[in-house]
Amino acid sequence: MLYESIRNLPIVSPHGHTVPEWFSENKRFNDPADLLIVPDHYVFRMLYSQGIPLEELGVGVDPADRDPRAIFRHLADRWYLFLGTPTRGWIEHTLREIFEIAEPLGPDTADAIYDRIDAALAQPEFRPVALMERFGIEVLATTDAALDDLSPHAAFADRGHSTRFIPTFRPDAVLDPRAKGWATAMGRLGEMTSEDCATMNGWRAALAARRQHFIAYGATATDHAIERLETEWLEDSAAQTLLDQCLTGRADEPARRRLYNHMLIEMAQMSVEDGLVMQLHAGSARGTNQSVSERFGPDTGADMPVAQDWVRGADALLNRVGNNPDAAIIAFTLDEGLFSRELAPMAGHWPALRLGPPWWFLDSPNAIRRYLDAVVETAGYWNLAGFNDDTRALMSIPARHDMWRRAVASHLDDQVAAGKFGTKDAEQVAEWLAVGAARAAYRL
């Protein structure tokens, strides 16, 4: 009953990585492999772990040089590898609910299923915008570099679609002196904003200007990808000294880290001023497979969870802005033990802090249940940020939200059965966790 009460609510997707041009250009997807396998690291990392070269899966290969049917056969031939994984559930949901394919995927059905998907993709109702509307997506946010011009979002908005399609400001490339090409990106930032990014005042002004550019196109949030969360407040003179060293190549690793740790607090303070919600995605070591990263670039399946210390890591930032209810910070972790040990107690205290959902490697039915059981007794339900699908794969969006809603309903059923509260309260919480919390946390 609880699941039925929320299963058809609109989808609020406030954080994800779909390609903006899919929706501004609204072209058909090239083929089933391009739709389901090539953009989805959840899929190709499993196949790579079993010895399938990424080139054979179309990763890093020009679309004209791919063999999409062979790529799809790789998935079908090894479909058994995904038993027990949420990825299998997402793809089965896609085949069953979106393409109305009842046959199980496998070596004997690979070509027939490929042909049915390919034929469907040629139809207007399977274009990206039509799918967005069919899925009932109320809000869809992309994640965009600070220097992006956001023209796809402008083009989409001009057409007056019902979905709210918005960017998210991700400033890593112009905020973190350790980022590859940071000095060059800083030069471009200065040129775009007519600010002198060699000074702290100019750097702050340039970042503030780019934030306003994103706000003009509907952005409500920033996003920060952090391997190890540390924050430190520096006076302007100390920060300027570090900035000089970083720009001239004289800074060592600790100096570059200190400047970045300070700039995270600067970003939090700007969030108070301009209203953008600050997402802190902490705990992923990027590109741990060096040869894969060098050959195929980022986001190719070798990012791994690392332990975090949120209490000490966020201390300087929260003691700067955490008591201000006008600040809005959403905390994410891949360190599952932190949910009950640190983050739920923190979200249950700091007015500025909300706890994000199980993310990435924890985006699964069992992990969602563990998360809710771990955090609710300390943080309650109203200090949670709801759900976001964090996906590059458009077809998995409804599957992931359905998975979350089923897990929420199951958790609440247990609460009612244990006498914690009644059905009326459970219905209210179910709707809150399905859509209300994300709308509130992301100021939508």
Side-chain angles (χ1 to χ4, degrees), residues 66-149:
R66 294 174 186 159
D67 183 345
R69 190 177 292 273
I71 294 170
F72 194 81
R73 285 173 180 162
H74 276 307
L75 175 65
D77 289 348
R78 296 162 182 82
W79 188 226
Y80 63 90
L81 297 176
F82 293 87
L83 286 168
T85 69
T87 307
R88 185 175 175 112
W90 300 332
I91 294 179
E92 287 179 339
H93 184 281
T94 297
L95 296 177
R96 181 182 66 251
E97 300 296 330
I98 300 174
F99 292 103
E100 299 180 350
I101 295 172
E103 296 83 358
L105 182 62
D108 296 337
T109 60
D111 284 344
I113 290 175
Y114 179 97
D115 290 336
R116 286 187 61 181
I117 296 172
D118 197 46
L121 294 180
Q123 304 303 313
E125 57 265 33
F126 284 88
R127 295 286 181 92
V129 173
L131 288 169
M132 176 191 283
E133 294 172 350
R134 175 181 170 184
F135 296 162
I137 298 178
E138 176 181 295
V139 179
L140 181 63
T142 57
T143 303
D144 312 271
L147 304 181
D148 284 353
D149 66 5

Side-chain angles (χ1 to χ4, degrees), residues 3 110 145 165 178 185 188 214 249 283 314 332 336 338 349 354 372 390 420 422 435:
Y3 169 67
F165 180 57
R178 298 163 298 169
R188 286 189 58 209
F214 274 67
F332 291 82
E336 190 171 5
L338 292 186
H349 169 74
R354 295 294 178 265
L372 291 169
D390 188 39
K420 301 293 181 64
V435 292

Side-chain angles (χ1 to χ4, degrees), residues 144-148 169-190 192 197 203-204 206-208 210-211 214 224 243 247 259-260 263 267:
D144 312 271
L147 304 181
D148 284 353
F169 181 72
R170 190 168 197 169
D172 300 339
V174 292
L175 198 71
D176 188 350
R178 298 163 298 169
K180 185 178 180 179
W182 172 78
T184 300
M186 287 283 280
R188 286 189 58 209
L189 176 64
M192 292 178 73
C197 290
W203 192 13
R204 279 191 291 260
L207 289 166
R210 292 306 297 165
R211 292 167 67 102
F214 274 67
H224 307 266
L243 178 58
L247 287 172
L259 183 58
Y260 177 62
M263 290 306 296
M267 289 288 97

Side-chain angles (χ1 to χ4, degrees), residues 391-428:
T391 185
R392 289 175 172 79
L394 174 61
M395 292 297 184
S396 76
I397 291 177
R400 293 181 191 220
H401 284 264
D402 185 71
M403 177 188 69
W404 167 259
R405 293 173 185 188
R406 289 178 185 274
V408 163
S410 181
H411 162 80
L412 292 173
D413 181 63
D414 288 346
Q415 298 284 69
V416 173
K420 301 293 181 64
F421 43 77
T423 301
K424 184 175 180 180
D425 286 330
E427 290 174 342
Q428 181 184 16

